Amino acid sequence: MFKIGIIGCGRIVEEGHAPAFKELIKDVNVVALADTAIERCEKIGGILNVDRAHWYTDYTEMLKKEKLDFVDIALPHFLHEKVVIDCANAGVNIISEKPLATNLKEVDHMLKAVEKNEVILAVLHNYRYQPAMKKAIEITKAGVIGTRFIIRSEGLGGSHYAGTGAYDPDWRTKQNMAGGGCLIDNGYHNIYISRELMGADVVSVYARVNTYYHKIDVDDSAFLLLKHSNGGTTSIQIAWAVKAGGQGVNEVHGKLGSIFFGREGKPLGVFLNEKGTWEYPDVSAIPQNSFTGIFQDIFYAVEKGEKVPTDGYEARRNLQIIMAAYESARKEKVVKV
Ligand SMILES: NC(=O)c1ccc[n+]([C@@H]2O[C@H](COP(=O)([O-])OP(=O)(O)OC[C@H]3O[C@@H](n4cnc5c(N)ncnc54)[C@H](O)[C@@H]3O)[C@@H](O)[C@H]2O)c1
């Protein structure tokens, strides 16, 4: 049974992490909470049954007083660096929200502290665990649609995911707190997903990144063309600028067939070229909450002494591609990664 302290008890902890911890009651025990806004400790303490004697407005106090196996960090991006380093120096294993930081320099400081203190760092690339995505990854890995060469990954929305009102609901729209806009926040997921579905890493990126609609100092739309090491291409479209909402297209095309997400109202459709038929795999046995799946895999990996699903180096690689996309947009050039 792992003892966990949460640092940052905001919206995603309420909507994603806390329900997952409740589902994983046999593996984990959330014993302490830290948030500068005490009402957030109260909120999450109520959901996870954590007594007020274990609520902290200063996470360093929590690190001193509690015996923790892991911290779960869900703070605005710009706060991750200092908190991860403090936790590593306190000898506590770390689960961190994505992106690991707002730039690669911060990530390198974090990785240095993690290495020095020999603690575990796992980063929440949780979209890999959404039921349809998990199944699609299994299908591609099993070779069912053959070598993949085109991926479409599109999520056009009208605004950012607002943080809790107890802090600053719009921190995501501020460069100094978020390090970018919809690309670093949402597009981050599309990138690791496309790398996984293609089964090949990204070797270069061409991007257009704009602020078309909102009066904010970060991007509200991003368009990326990724070249993968197998020659395949991913196109990503992501936005906070489309009030009507886009059609949420997700497709993977391979030499033997294709995978469509959400076709005919089904989570997943698989087209087999040779047969010319569609199949609709059942995904109902996979946990609905993607955090349940990733937390479970992290804890199982640690129990067995194996590598965690997404470590700090993998998170760094994903952020490197984001940074290359911003550079590409600035220079209007293809950037190698
Ligand atoms: N993986 C996903 O699907 C996903 C989804 C949403 C958010 N996130 C990530 O989770 C993180 C948090 O996002 P959110 O939407 O929950 O934000 P939020 O603003 O709702 O929550 C942040 C919390 O941190 C607290 N906080 C601020 N400074 C603090 C400090 N110094 N010490 C302790 N607590 C402090 C705030 O009071 C607030 O409660 C971000 O990195 C975001 O990218 C990931």
Side-chain angles (χ1 to χ4, degrees):
M1 177 76 84
F2 292 108
K3 286 193 181 145
I4 301 194
I6 300 177
I7 306 180
C9 299
R11 184 162 169 207
I12 198 56
V13 168
E14 182 176 346
E15 294 178 357
H17 298 203
F21 288 138
K22 281 182 88 161
E23 282 188 79
L24 297 173
I25 200 116
K26 286 197 205 116
D27 304 303
V28 300
N29 186 12
V30 177
V31 295
L33 304 171
D35 198 299
T36 41
I38 197 73
E39 63 266 42
R40 294 307 304 172
C41 294
E42 187 170 11
K43 179 84 197 172
I44 303 303
I47 298 171
L48 292 173
N49 219 2
V50 182
D51 188 82
R52 68 171 59 235
H54 303 280
W55 301 349
Y56 299 87
T57 50
D58 178 351
Y59 69 91
T60 60
E61 284 300 304
M62 179 176 92
L63 294 177
K64 275 185 216 146
K65 290 191 181 146
E66 303 282 346
K67 274 209 165 318
L68 303 172
D69 297 308
F70 274 94
V71 287
D72 171 32
I73 299 172
L75 296 163
H77 317 332
F78 76 109
L79 296 170
H80 292 181
E81 181 193 13
K82 179 170 180 349
V83 179
V84 165
I85 291 172
D86 286 346
C87 293
N89 288 339
V92 184
N93 296 314
I94 299 155
I95 298 171
S96 172
E97 263 299 356
K98 51 49 69 176
L100 195 46
T102 58
N103 60 59
L104 294 173
K105 211 168 149 190
E106 290 172 1
V107 172
D108 289 340
H109 296 153
M110 295 153 97
L111 293 178
K112 214 167 152 189
V114 165
E115 279 168 19
K116 191 178 109 205
N117 293 290
E118 296 182 4
V119 294
I120 293 161
L121 170 63
V123 183
L124 293 173
H125 286 193
N126 54 303
Y127 280 29
R128 295 164 68 213
Y129 290 83
Q130 288 172 342
M133 190 58 72
K134 189 159 192 242
K135 187 55 109 186
I137 291 168
E138 270 171 37
I139 291 169
T140 54
K141 284 202 171 135
V144 175
I145 64 163
T147 304
R148 284 79 71 198
F149 51 84
I150 296 174
I151 294 177
R152 292 176 67 192
S153 183
E154 301 174 11
L156 303 182
S159 62
H160 65 284
Y161 178 87
T164 167
Y167 184 64
D168 174 358
D170 298 325
W171 63 261
R172 278 181 175 77
T173 66
K174 296 169 185 169
Q175 180 66 28
N176 61 341
M177 295 171 114
C182 65
L183 173 54
I184 195 168
D185 194 45
N186 304 83
Y188 184 95
H189 296 288
N190 302 63
I191 289 174
Y192 66 74
I193 283 305
S194 69
R195 294 166 62 213
E196 183 118 24
L197 287 172
M198 189 67 81
D201 205 351
V202 172
V203 292
S204 70
V205 52
Y206 177 72
R208 284 183 47 73
V209 175
N210 293 290
T211 310
Y212 280 132
Y213 186 78
H214 295 287
K215 288 194 174 52
I216 53 178
D217 64 352
V218 295
D219 43 288
D220 67 9
S221 56
F223 308 88
L224 274 60
L225 272 185
L226 307 179
K227 178 180 172 188
H228 293 261
S229 58
N230 67 349
T233 304
T234 291
S235 84
I236 292 176
Q237 299 192 14
I238 197 86
W240 295 338
V242 178
K243 280 288 164 190
Q247 296 181 54
V249 179
N250 279 298
E251 296 171 6
V252 189
H253 303 288
K255 298 232 164 117
L256 303 179
S258 293
I259 299 176
F260 284 53
F261 291 70
R263 186 178 187 271
E264 303 276 330
K266 308 270 187 5
L268 211 58
V270 182
F271 184 82
L272 300 172
N273 291 355
E274 207 166 274
K275 291 190 196 162
T277 54
W278 286 94
E279 287 170 11
Y280 296 95
D282 181 18
V283 300
S284 59
I286 302 171
Q288 285 300 302
N289 181 349
S290 59
F291 290 107
T292 305
I294 192 161
F295 283 136
Q296 200 164 42
D297 269 12
I298 291 169
F299 297 127
Y300 285 178
V302 173
E303 265 170 12
K304 289 193 223 143
E306 291 171 0
K307 195 172 166 298
V308 290
T310 309
D311 64 15
Y313 302 97
E314 166 57 19
R316 186 191 191 282
R317 175 70 185 149
N318 212 61
L319 189 62
Q320 190 182 25
I321 298 166
I322 304 265
M323 292 304 154
Y326 281 119
E327 184 188 340
S328 164
R330 271 195 312 275
K331 295 184 174 163
E332 299 199 8
K333 277 189 177 155
V334 173
V335 172
K336 293 203 165 113
V337 274

